[in-house]
């Protein structure tokens, strides 16, 4: 900066003002782009809002409006409002025209694709940013069918920008566009990887690129290089929130729910307090079956977000808590407010489960029959779509057996000072499996079977490969009188015992096989006979199994 002072005073003033303003604008714009990429959408919008306040240009309005499209759940109304202001500032603004076309495309109007192509054609493809933003719109909302057009525009944007230095986000958006093609082709994956690698030298935050490379490997189901690159991202920037989101997906894939919960806690820590981001965090915790954290984050922002998906998430949480009336009310609200394109087969399945839950306590025979018919029809839609959001048949068994075991039903059962102390320990650290194990056993000793079921279910969520939790669930369900869920839990125990643990687990396995045989002897005699035989083979001295086996083979 001191070199500027060597110029004459008049020239120096003009050059320095121009240099400083352009430098500040470039830095500010890049700051906003980086914030959005880091899932700090509130921070990004603040940057773009400040840019508009300082200079209400069409370009600045575009950047602000576009920030509402790139967030997790786009706010089309707000984006459209701001793009229109941009066109009021400059009716020829191609960026804001692309913005309005993006809104149309995001809402499902495919005519917007030709509109975007027309805007690019009218620009004579000279402006790199117009090409980039057109490609970004197609990448966000155009789907696989428009991936090639997006790739074409991005390559041209890279070519046009080469003289002044291509921004890193041009390259990594090119990688994202290749991934849109939804193909297992090594060539396409290789092109995406090449684009990401080209972004590395100019990327201000290498973590952004390493995270994308890691998730690309995950998409290819190459888990080792996926983990290596996600680790590189965290090492490059331990505060880069999306890396923790990617790591959570990796840990969920390997059923490491405790690790995934910690990843999501870190994600929540480093993403900003933007309500839409907090809503996304709630959804991620729900996916990890961490309903407590999911509800906590949802409650924090429920009144601050407009997106109707908040009602759907609350419906799922109310259902998980066994409050079917509240679940129905929330689901009805979601369906009344959401665009039809956002209603998924899983949502129909959930409606079916809610109807089954309501039917359980319905005393009017006609209404009960109607609810059961609705339940069957809605769940059939989810199953026909091969949706695996929930285990539909298992959930129906739970409802039939009295519904979900929730904290209220646990608290209504027997307790004692030991239980209350352990409850506080688990509340303070929900990932403390040692305290949770002790709490589950304390509930069993107090014959609070709902408490035992609730705790053992949490344990199997945190340690899904630890077989004994399923056996204990089965025992608690059996003592509570829910034979169908007891059978499912015992079967899960049998399936989860590792071959290396088979010898040490022979006695418990014998008990599990006997329990299933005993529970299904009337409904499934063939299975009962098979399991009773296996129980005796594992433990020939187990007299109950010997007696049942003899009885079934008369």
């Amino acid at each position: 900066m001191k070199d500027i002072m060597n110029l004459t005073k008049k020239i120096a003033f003009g050059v320095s003002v121009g240099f400083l303003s352009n430098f500040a604008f470039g830095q500010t714009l890049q700051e906003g782009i980086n914030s959005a990429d880091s899932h700090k959408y509130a921070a990004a919008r603040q940057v773009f809002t400040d840019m508009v306040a300082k200079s209400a240009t069409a370009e600045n309005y575009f950047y602000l409006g576009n920030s509402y499209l790139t967030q997790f759940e786009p706010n089309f109304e707000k984006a459209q409002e701001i793009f229109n202001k941009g066109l009021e500032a400059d009716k020829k603004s191609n960026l804001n025209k692309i913005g309005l076309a993006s809104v149309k495309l995001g809402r499902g109007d495919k005519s917007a694709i030709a509109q975007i192509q027309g805007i690019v054609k009218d620009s004579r493809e000279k402006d790199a940013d117009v090409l980039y933003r057109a490609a970004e719109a197609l990448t966000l909302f155009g789907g696989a069918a428009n991936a090639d057009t997006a790739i074409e525009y991005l390559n041209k944007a890279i070519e046009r920008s080469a003289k002044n230095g291509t921004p890193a986000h041009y390259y990594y958006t090119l990688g994202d566009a290749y991934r849109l093609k939804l193909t297992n082709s090594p060539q396409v994956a290789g092109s995406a990887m090449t684009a990401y690698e080209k972004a590395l030298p100019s990327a201000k935050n290498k973590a952004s690129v390493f995270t994308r490379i890691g998730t690309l490997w995950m998409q290819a189901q190459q888990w080792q290089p996926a983990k290596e690159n996600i680790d590189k991202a965290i090492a490059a920037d331990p505060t880069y929130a999306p890396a923790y989101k990617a790591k959570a997906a990796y840990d969920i894939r390997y059923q490491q729910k405790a690790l995934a919960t910690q990843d999501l806690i870190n994600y929540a820590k480093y993403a900003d307090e933007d309500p839409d981001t907090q809503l996304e965090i709630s959804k991620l915790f729900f996916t990890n079956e961490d309903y407590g954290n999911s509800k906590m984050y949802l409650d924090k922002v429920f009144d601050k977000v407009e997106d109707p998906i908040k009602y759907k998430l609350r419906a799922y949480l109310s259902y998980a808590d066994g409050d079917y009336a509240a679940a129905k009310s929330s689901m009805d609200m979601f369906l009344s407010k959401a665009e039809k394109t956002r209603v998924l087969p899983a949502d129909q399945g959930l409606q079916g489960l809610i109807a089954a839950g309501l039917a359980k306590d319905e005393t009017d025979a006609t209404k009960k029959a109607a609810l059961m018919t609705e339940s069957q029809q809605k769940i059939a839609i989810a199953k026909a779509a091969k949706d695996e959001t929930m285990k539909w048949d298992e959930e129906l068994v739970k409802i039939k057996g009295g519904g979900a075991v929730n904290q209220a039903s646990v608290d209504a059962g027997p307790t004692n000072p030991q239980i209350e102390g352990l409850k506080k320990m688990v509340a303070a650290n929900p990932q403390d499996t040692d305290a949770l194990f002790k709490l589950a056993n304390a509930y069993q000793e107090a014959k609070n079977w709902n408490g035992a079921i609730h705790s053992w279910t949490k344990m199997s969520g945190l340690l899904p490969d630890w077989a004994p939790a399923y056996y204990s669930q089965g025992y608690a369900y059996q003592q509570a009188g829910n034979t169908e869920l007891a059978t499912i839990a015992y079967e899960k125990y049998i399936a989860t015992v590792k071959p290396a643990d088979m010898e040490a687990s022979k006695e418990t396995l014998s008990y599990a096989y006997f329990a299933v045989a005993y529970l299904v002897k009337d409904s499934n005699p063939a299975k009962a006979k098979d399991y009773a035989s296996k129980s005796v083979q594992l433990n020939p001295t187990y007299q109950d199994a010997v007696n049942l086996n003899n009885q079934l083979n008369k």
Side-chain angles (χ1 to χ4, degrees):
M1 300 295 289
K2 289 181 181 177
D3 293 339
I4 295 173
M5 299 309 294
N6 293 329
L7 303 171
T8 66
K9 197 168 187 179
K10 183 177 178 181
I11 295 174
F13 180 77
V15 171
S16 63
V17 168
F19 177 81
L20 285 169
S21 61
N22 288 334
F23 179 79
F25 173 80
Q27 287 293 94
T28 304
L29 174 59
Q30 192 59 49
E31 182 186 340
I33 291 169
N34 289 345
S35 291
D37 179 64
S38 300
H39 296 184
K40 292 179 171 65
Y41 294 106
R45 274 197 293 276
Q46 189 58 55
V47 168
F48 298 133
T49 300
D50 290 346
M51 286 169 59
V52 169
K54 289 175 184 174
S55 179
T57 64
E59 289 80 4
N60 287 352
Y61 275 118
F62 169 78
Y63 298 130
L64 177 58
N66 200 52
S67 70
Y68 285 97
L69 295 184
T70 56
Q71 65 186 32
F72 295 111
E73 297 291 341
N75 187 331
F76 294 120
E77 288 183 14
K78 193 70 177 174
Q80 182 172 313
E81 174 192 327
I82 295 168
F83 292 140
N84 280 326
K85 287 182 180 178
L87 283 175
E88 287 173 15
D90 178 2
K91 64 182 180 180
K92 293 182 180 180
S93 171
N94 284 324
L95 290 180
N96 285 286
K97 289 177 184 177
I98 288 172
L100 289 173
S102 300
V103 170
K104 283 177 65 176
L105 185 56
R107 284 173 163 164
D109 186 344
K110 299 298 182 186
S111 69
I113 294 167
Q115 194 174 334
I116 290 169
Q117 290 172 322
I119 296 165
V120 171
K121 185 177 180 182
D122 289 345
S123 75
R124 299 184 181 178
E125 301 186 358
K126 290 182 178 180
D127 188 326
D129 206 25
V130 169
L131 287 162
Y132 171 73
R133 296 300 176 176
E136 182 187 45
L138 295 174
T139 304
L140 283 171
F141 305 118
N146 294 286
D148 286 330
T149 305
I151 290 165
E152 177 191 343
Y153 289 165
L154 284 162
N155 280 322
K156 288 178 179 177
I158 289 166
E159 182 184 334
R160 302 286 186 278
S161 64
K163 185 177 179 181
N164 296 317
T166 301
H169 57 271
Y170 280 29
Y171 285 116
Y172 61 64
T173 304
L174 177 60
D176 295 346
Y178 273 113
R179 292 171 70 167
L180 261 189
K181 291 170 75 70
L182 301 177
T183 172
N184 293 324
S185 164
Q187 287 78 19
V188 172
S191 296
M193 187 67 76
T194 298
Y196 290 149
E197 288 171 346
K198 285 183 177 178
L200 270 172
S202 58
K204 189 170 183 180
N205 191 345
K206 312 292 184 193
S208 173
V209 183
F210 283 129
T211 300
R212 283 175 165 82
I213 292 173
T215 57
L216 178 60
W217 282 118
M218 285 173 69
Q219 189 175 324
Q221 298 188 16
Q222 298 293 317
W223 304 105
Q224 187 61 35
K227 179 69 163 51
E228 288 171 0
N229 279 281
I230 292 168
D231 287 345
K232 282 182 185 178
I234 293 171
D237 181 1
T239 69
Y240 185 68
Y244 294 101
K245 185 180 180 183
K247 189 171 180 295
Y250 174 90
D251 287 329
I252 290 170
R253 164 67 176 75
Y254 277 99
Q255 292 287 295
Q256 297 292 323
K257 292 187 178 180
L259 290 176
T261 290
Q262 188 56 56
D263 296 332
L264 293 176
I265 289 169
N266 283 329
Y267 177 69
K269 178 180 177 181
Y270 296 119
D272 64 14
E273 290 292 321
D274 172 64
D276 289 290
T277 305
Q278 298 292 299
L279 181 63
E280 178 70 9
I281 292 165
S282 175
K283 288 189 282 184
L284 291 169
F285 275 118
F286 182 87
T287 302
N288 196 41
E289 298 180 4
D290 187 343
Y291 302 130
N293 272 320
S294 179
K295 185 177 186 303
M296 180 183 74
Y297 278 93
L298 179 63
D299 288 347
K300 276 171 57 178
V301 299
F302 194 84
D303 295 331
K304 299 176 184 176
V305 291
E306 299 174 8
D307 192 332
I309 202 168
K310 68 182 182 179
Y311 295 106
K312 177 164 78 170
L313 184 54
R314 179 161 279 182
Y316 273 94
L317 288 166
S318 294
Y319 169 79
D321 209 31
D323 190 344
Y324 305 119
K328 184 180 188 309
S329 175
S330 293
M331 201 64 191
D332 288 347
M333 188 68 75
F334 168 72
L335 294 169
S336 71
K337 291 178 175 291
E339 295 179 18
K340 285 186 170 35
T341 54
R342 298 185 70 186
V343 180
L344 307 174
D347 303 332
Q348 306 263 33
L350 178 62
Q351 286 180 278
L353 292 175
I354 292 168
L358 292 170
K360 180 175 63 69
D361 297 323
E362 180 56 64
T363 54
D364 184 300
T366 303
K367 290 180 180 177
K368 190 181 190 80
L371 284 167
M372 288 310 300
T373 299
E374 179 188 353
S375 174
Q376 291 165 5
Q377 291 172 343
K378 298 281 189 182
I379 290 172
I381 292 170
K383 291 172 77 171
K386 296 186 173 13
D387 184 274
E388 296 180 353
T389 301
M390 302 183 83
K391 297 172 183 173
W392 306 108
D393 292 330
E394 190 172 319
E395 290 298 322
L396 281 172
V397 171
K398 284 183 184 177
I399 292 168
K400 182 180 173 185
V405 174
N406 55 32
Q407 194 60 52
S409 65
V410 172
D411 293 341
T415 189
N416 55 48
Q418 182 190 14
I419 287 172
E420 294 305 315
L422 288 165
K423 277 170 63 178
K424 289 177 182 176
M425 289 177 65
V426 172
N429 182 5
Q431 281 73 54
D432 186 346
T433 52
D434 183 58
L436 191 56
F437 174 82
K438 290 175 181 174
L439 178 61
N441 279 292
Y443 276 129
Q444 283 193 183
E445 289 172 13
K447 294 185 168 45
N448 184 334
W449 302 116
N450 281 335
I453 291 164
H454 202 234
S455 300
W456 287 122
T457 301
K458 284 184 177 179
M459 179 70 85
S460 59
L462 292 170
L463 302 172
D465 294 330
W466 192 59
Y470 300 108
Y471 181 88
S472 297
Q473 271 183 59
Y475 178 77
Y477 272 124
Q478 189 176 357
Q479 294 302 313
N482 194 327
T483 56
E484 287 185 83
L485 286 175
T487 300
I488 290 170
Y490 283 132
E491 294 266 35
K492 182 71 174 175
Y493 166 75
I494 291 166
T496 309
V497 174
K498 297 180 175 68
D501 298 331
M502 201 70 72
E503 186 63 31
S505 305
K506 279 175 70 172
E507 190 172 345
T508 310
L509 275 167
S510 175
Y511 295 155
Y513 275 116
F514 167 76
V516 175
Y518 181 80
L519 293 171
V520 305
K521 60 184 171 59
D522 296 323
S523 61
N524 193 340
K527 183 172 189 174
K529 188 181 290 189
D530 178 37
Y531 274 42
S533 174
K534 286 177 178 174
S535 178
V536 173
Q537 288 170 21
L538 286 163
N539 186 1
T541 65
Y542 186 18
Q543 197 58 48
D544 287 343
V546 171
N547 292 342
L548 181 62
N549 191 44
N550 291 337
Q551 179 188 330
L552 292 170
N553 283 286
K554 282 182 180 177

